[in-house]
Amino acid sequence: MPATDSLLRPAGTVPHGLPGLDPRYSHVLRDARGATWHYLDTGPELERHGVAPVGTVLAVHGNPTWSYLWRGLVTDSVAAARGGGAVWRVVAVDQLEMGFSARTGEHRPLARRVADLGAFTDALRLAGPVVTLGHDWGGVVSLGWAVDHPDLLAGVALLNTAVHQPDGASVPAPLRLALAGPVHRLGTRTTPAFLDTTLALARPRLATDVASAYRLPYRVAHDRDGIEGFVADIPVDASHPSAPELDRIADGVARLRVPAVLLWGPHDPVFSDRYLDDLVRRLPHAHVHRFADAGHLVAEDADWTPAVLGWLRDVLSGAGATGAEGSAHSPFVPLWAGIDARAGDDAPAVLDMASTDADGSARVVSWRALHRQVRRVAAGLHAIGVRRGDRVSLLVEPGPTLTALVYACLRIGAVVVVADAGLGIRGLTRAQRGAWPRFVVAQTKGLAAARALGWPGVRISADPLAPAVRRALGVAHELVDVARAGEGAALPPEPGPDDEAAVLFTSGSTGPAKGVVYSHARLSALRDTLAEHFDVGPDTGLVTGFAPFALLGPALGTRSVTPRMDVSSPRTLTARAVADAVRASDARIVFLSPAAILNVVATADALDAADRTALARVRTFLSTGAPISAGLLGSAAELMPAATAHTPYGMTECLLVTDVTLDGIRDAAAAPDAGVCVGRPVPGVEVLISALDDDGAATGAPSIAPGVLGEVLVQAWHLKERYDRLWLTDLAAERGTPPGRWHRTGDVGHLDAQGRLWIEGRLGHVLRTADGPLAPVGPEQHVERVEQVRRAAVVGIGPAGLQQAVAVVETAPGARRPGLAPEALTTAVRTASPVALAAVLVVPRMPTDVRHNSKIDRARLAAWADGVLAGGRVGQP
């Protein structure tokens, strides 16, 4: 029903006293049609300071907010203008029927709102360049304006929004509820329920005065006509009157070639990562950042304005270009070339000791069979709709099936998503929703988790399933049928070196696991570096007790074997299982993780003469994934007496940085340096150190000066492309680095006079004491020399700048309960420590990551120790 004249009102300015918003930015404008608009505008303030903007940010709020949403950008942009450099004017408009703009009593579907915004910018005489910024349905409206004004458009920025409802997917539950029959008017207009529910989505909860400011324009029912109309205008299906306009905008967005940035809150019950994935497909060149703890009101939940201002400065002003790569690298050869080269070879390519044939022997796949299966699966995946750039999550245990899947996906240009079970259910859920794969291939356990937890992706079962189970798990295809469909079918063109190849997730040992994007060129460079440095050839053979390396054998053109173990728990690997794997494959190289080595050494007494003979044929032994003591490495090396023991240093972002042999570690033991010596950079890798300042921040100019404690920076051809949808994390990792593609590792350490790198901990674990920064690993090494101490962690308690060191130790035999260490142990630890210790605590077992079972969670221990010493409850850390 049209509103009566008594319910109509023109636009007005904001009152004084709204938190964070200076009323001098508030203005009113009448357009050519007579409608009056309220908007925030920094232009007059910039003019008053004599500053000429290079362009305008046109910010459009959604439902049920208003331009108050953009107050942070308004304030911060003016502050940035006073600091010099390129300046952008900010215009944040209240849509008609919303905020302090006019109440006209007219219904405004999407097409009209886009036209309304055009009428407003015409009345404002807005000239280019213009960057649109939108949130919620304001994102759609802003994009509609962007599509219609290509001559003015310089870029687009978006917070949680959507331009397309995926086929077959229902409208999000909160919107379905808001649209439901009598609930619609009652929740949106009659009562402020929709408004209050939206404000309650903030993480953490909005301050009372801020929430009141959002409610201010919507105090009575007729003020909320626009909220009701906006909800009614949601295109729930193709028959909705606004669906054609939404489709027009969505198609237009895909044709935009201007710079773009997408800032997202993943904890959004309305605009989930499903809609982010759609936007990324339409704007593949966009910078994307997911604020891990933010939700729908990302502008309230996250410190987002520096990101937009930095993007405006660096991207749209032409700054921030990266330099050259560094030294030249060999020509690109795709990862599957090693399989193609041995397509007619019946020799073993992959052996899986955990799976057995009918006679009890290990499952063996020849090069010929692997080549055929890779091509069959590749063609079959393409036949069911997997295309270049599509993400495919592989929740399959290492073995021949996973190997074939990985190379099949790579061959057709699909992007492999790898997140291991060690992340746990919560970590895996975060990874799956963050990467948002279009397809997921999983065994039964993974399919059940995907179904129960709502993980995205068309589900493909790696195992044959009964029809009822298949239906219950929502499985669309079985891998056996996919492969059968691909038999003899032609493959699509090969992907190029710069195409994305994989998203590999970090272990999550130092925070939420991050997706690391590799291109085909980067993965191929890693293969070449490993092959050259460790002299891997066709007859070498690999035993891979460390899951990330289990897939590299075919790329290296050599056979690989996975020993009997639970791949999600490295501690389950035994010495006999390693010997069996070596004997079955006649392997000359063994890759193990430190946690696996610990149990291998502990179970060495079970080896018989034949086992020891097999192990004596190994010529290279590698401990990879985390630092390891010389004693433990030496104990493992004694089981392989002819092998040279190596412990390479690297991370998911750059899997091979430096390398040191056991002899090198023993030589370094005589040096006075603190930390773990991880050797010299391998060929093609450069390492620099950015010195720590008194506050423990890495602010020093990167250099190779010896003896300087700082953050480790690396450059290599096999360095990652970027973090996945973590643009700001990428910027932090590249901050203050030299020209080229460098990466700040987050590790701290130093270089010595011989060019060897010593790792002394993580940047986040550095103690900030009154005497300056203190890295934990050096003191920990001294404490671990105490006979009863198995592992130690030195952590800081107290305020930054005045932190005190506390030693937390795991003993042998283990303590029965956590708490203060016995007096004798405390005395021994304090005597051994090179730094004063405020206390010594014991724990039955150190909290570590699951992937390596060796990376101690010092941040968790620090919080626990602080609580214990403050008189809190003594529980498990």
Side-chain angles (χ1 to χ4, degrees), residues 186-500:
L186 180 66
T188 58
R189 185 185 187 279
T190 308
T191 72
F194 186 82
L195 171 62
D196 290 343
T197 300
T198 301
L199 298 180
L201 295 176
R203 301 164 58 96
R205 196 172 186 87
L206 292 176
T208 301
D209 57 350
V210 171
S212 296
Y214 273 114
R215 293 187 180 100
L216 188 60
Y218 306 116
R219 288 175 294 184
V220 296
H222 64 77
D223 285 339
R224 297 190 288 268
D225 282 343
I227 297 176
E228 179 187 15
F230 242 130
V231 172
D233 195 44
I234 297 171
V236 293
D237 55 41
S239 65
H240 192 280
S242 283
E245 176 67 1
L246 185 64
D247 290 342
R248 182 188 76 86
I249 294 170
D251 291 342
V253 169
R255 293 191 293 271
L256 294 178
R257 294 296 179 265
V258 294
V261 62
L262 310 177
L263 303 177
W264 211 261
H267 300 281
D268 187 342
V270 181
F271 298 112
S272 67
D273 284 297
R274 176 194 308 278
Y275 300 103
L276 173 61
D277 186 68
D278 176 74
L279 285 166
V280 169
R281 288 179 174 276
R282 296 173 193 277
L283 297 166
H285 58 285
H287 294 297
V288 182
H289 188 84
R290 297 169 75 250
F291 292 97
D293 297 321
H296 178 71
L297 291 176
V298 63
E300 297 292 342
D301 298 346
D303 186 18
W304 67 281
T305 59
V308 169
L309 293 174
W311 174 71
L312 291 169
R313 179 189 66 242
D314 296 340
V315 176
L316 291 178
S317 300
T322 58
E325 282 285 346
S327 57
H329 188 68
S330 54
F332 170 70
V333 177
L335 286 173
W336 55 88
I339 300 174
D340 289 350
R342 303 187 68 172
D345 193 341
D346 289 316
V350 179
L351 299 89
D352 184 7
M353 304 298 290
S355 301
T356 56
D357 293 330
D359 61 359
S361 60
R363 184 182 174 195
V364 179
V365 178
S366 69
W367 288 101
R368 186 193 300 274
L370 178 61
H371 178 263
R372 175 172 175 260
Q373 186 68 351
V374 167
R375 292 187 66 86
R376 293 173 73 222
V377 173
L381 289 172
H382 193 260
I384 65 170
V386 181
R387 295 292 181 264
R388 180 179 300 191
D390 284 349
R391 293 185 170 189
V392 181
S393 177
L394 301 179
L395 302 175
V396 180
E397 291 186 355
T401 298
L402 179 59
T403 301
L405 276 166
V406 166
Y407 288 95
C409 289
L410 293 174
R411 171 58 186 81
I412 62 174
V415 181
V416 175
V417 177
V418 179
D420 68 48
L423 294 177
I425 290 296
R426 184 177 179 182
L428 276 173
T429 298
R430 183 193 292 266
Q432 296 300 313
R433 290 180 178 167
W436 205 266
R438 293 198 70 189
F439 297 85
V440 55
V441 186
Q443 291 160 316
T444 305
K445 185 187 295 186
L447 292 169
R451 179 73 175 201
L453 299 170
W455 294 348
V458 176
R459 292 177 203 136
I460 303 170
S461 176
D463 303 320
L465 299 174
V469 175
R470 178 171 170 168
R471 287 193 299 272
L473 296 178
V475 171
H477 307 278
E478 289 185 356
L479 188 59
V480 63
D481 296 326
V482 171
R484 189 177 296 120
E487 184 72 59
L491 293 175
E494 295 183 357
D498 296 328
D499 288 333
E500 287 185 12

Side-chain angles (χ1 to χ4, degrees), residues 112 160 183 198-199 264 271 292 297 318 358 441 596 626 640 649 802 844 874:
R112 186 169 183 184
N160 292 45
V183 175
T198 301
L199 298 180
W264 211 261
F271 298 112
L297 291 176
V441 186
M640 294 169 267
Y649 160 74
L802 296 173
V874 181

Side-chain angles (χ1 to χ4, degrees), residues 500-738:
E500 287 185 12
V503 180
L504 311 180
F505 276 85
T506 61
S507 67
S509 58
T510 56
K514 298 183 288 292
V516 179
V517 177
Y518 276 88
S519 66
H520 284 269
R522 303 289 170 192
L523 287 181
S524 294
L526 171 63
R527 173 206 57 205
D528 297 343
T529 301
L530 287 168
E532 181 178 352
H533 185 67
F534 294 112
D535 190 22
V536 181
D539 297 322
T540 303
L542 310 175
V543 171
T544 51
F546 183 49
F549 287 100
L551 301 169
L552 283 172
L556 291 163
T558 194
R559 62 191 174 279
S560 62
V561 56
T562 304
R564 287 190 309 276
M565 65 182 295
D566 178 353
V567 294
S568 66
S569 179
R571 288 179 182 270
T572 59
L573 182 63
T574 65
R576 172 156 282 182
V578 174
D580 288 343
V582 170
R583 185 164 40 239
S585 62
D586 195 25
R588 295 294 184 264
I589 298 181
V590 173
F591 284 85
L592 300 178
S593 72
I597 293 170
L598 197 64
N599 201 52
V600 167
V601 170
T603 57
D605 289 345
L607 295 172
D608 59 23
D611 294 330
R612 293 184 182 275
T613 298
L615 292 174
R617 293 199 294 271
V618 177
R619 63 171 174 78
T620 303
F621 162 58
L622 298 98
S623 169
T624 58
I628 184 173
S629 69
L632 182 57
L633 189 64
S635 296
E638 289 175 4
L639 304 178
M640 294 169 267
T644 300
H646 295 254
T647 175
Y649 160 74
M651 63 286 302
T652 308
E653 295 87 344
C654 191
L655 287 164
L656 183 59
V657 175
T658 67
D659 182 35
V660 64
T661 64
L662 178 57
D663 288 343
I665 293 173
R666 288 169 174 163
D667 288 342
D673 301 72
V676 176
C677 180
V678 295
R680 296 178 178 83
V682 301
V685 175
E686 296 181 62
V687 172
L688 296 173
I689 302 294
S690 173
L692 303 185
D693 59 24
D694 290 341
D695 294 325
T699 57
S703 77
I704 58 171
V708 175
L709 176 65
E711 185 177 12
V712 179
L713 280 63
V714 302
Q715 178 179 245
W717 269 98
H718 53 277
L719 178 67
K720 67 171 175 66
E721 287 292 335
R722 65 181 184 280
Y723 287 116
D724 186 41
R725 300 178 183 181
L726 291 170
W727 169 56
L728 299 180
T729 307
D730 273 324
L731 292 182
E734 298 163 4
R735 173 188 56 82
T737 59

Side-chain angles (χ1 to χ4, degrees), residues 49-126:
H49 286 279
V51 177
V54 298
T56 301
V57 176
L58 177 62
V60 188
H61 68 87
N63 185 33
T65 57
W66 55 287
S67 58
Y68 185 69
L69 182 79
W70 309 115
R71 67 194 182 282
L73 184 63
V74 167
T75 302
D76 292 352
S77 65
V78 172
R82 295 174 185 144
V87 175
W88 286 77
R89 172 190 182 190
V90 176
V91 172
V93 63
D94 284 357
Q95 299 196 58
L96 294 176
E97 323 301 331
M98 305 291 289
F100 285 89
S101 282
R103 299 299 190 268
T104 70
E106 300 177 22
H107 179 57
R108 298 184 179 277
L110 179 57
R112 186 169 183 184
R113 287 203 173 274
V114 173
D116 286 343
L117 186 58
F120 167 76
T121 57
D122 287 346
L124 195 63
R125 296 182 180 177
L126 189 64

